[in-house]
């Protein structure tokens, strides 16, 4: 198990926890980014404070996961 696999595992667990924390907020659940449903990222919502921060962190973490996975696939470091 390489460092990329461990990094992906940790990041995915963090995303899962954030998604579960967001599951009770808004019209869509927190795990919509992982499930591929209607995420409404750029729609104006009334989410503020902690919920808005968690949504942005989840969005950024998903980009990091994709980048790490692509780097791992290119370098064959799995």
């Amino acid at each position: 198990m390489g460092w990329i696999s461990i990094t992906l595992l940790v990041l995915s667990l963090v995303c899962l926890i954030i998604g579960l924390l967001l599951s009770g907020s808004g019209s869509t659940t927190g795990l919509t980014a992982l499930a591929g449903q209607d995420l409404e990222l750029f729609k104006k919502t009334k989410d503020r404070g902690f919920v808005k921060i968690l949504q942005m962190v989840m969005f950024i973490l998903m980009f990091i996961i994709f980048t790490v996975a692509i780097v791992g696939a290119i370098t064959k470091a799995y």
Side-chain angles (χ1 to χ4, degrees), residues 43-61:
K43 183 180 177 183
K44 286 191 174 188
T45 61
K46 294 183 180 182
D47 295 331
R48 290 182 175 81
F50 186 66
V51 172
K52 192 67 168 179
I53 291 170
L54 284 180
Q55 287 175 345
M56 289 299 143
V57 168
M58 177 82 137
F59 186 68
I60 292 168
L61 281 176

Side-chain angles (χ1 to χ4, degrees), residues 16-32 47 50-51 54-55:
L16 182 64
I17 291 169
I18 291 173
L20 291 174
L21 288 173
L22 287 172
S23 64
S25 65
S27 61
T28 59
T29 63
L31 296 176
T32 53
D47 295 331
F50 186 66
V51 172
L54 284 180
Q55 287 175 345

Side-chain angles (χ1 to χ4, degrees), residues 7-19 21-22 33-34 41 53-69:
T7 304
L8 287 174
L9 181 66
V10 170
L11 288 175
S12 65
L13 287 174
V14 170
C15 284
L16 182 64
I17 291 169
I18 291 173
L21 288 173
L22 287 172
L34 302 176
L41 267 181
I53 291 170
L54 284 180
Q55 287 175 345
M56 289 299 143
V57 168
M58 177 82 137
F59 186 68
I60 292 168
L61 281 176
M62 294 310 289
F63 275 119
I64 293 172
I65 286 175
F66 289 138
T67 305
V68 170

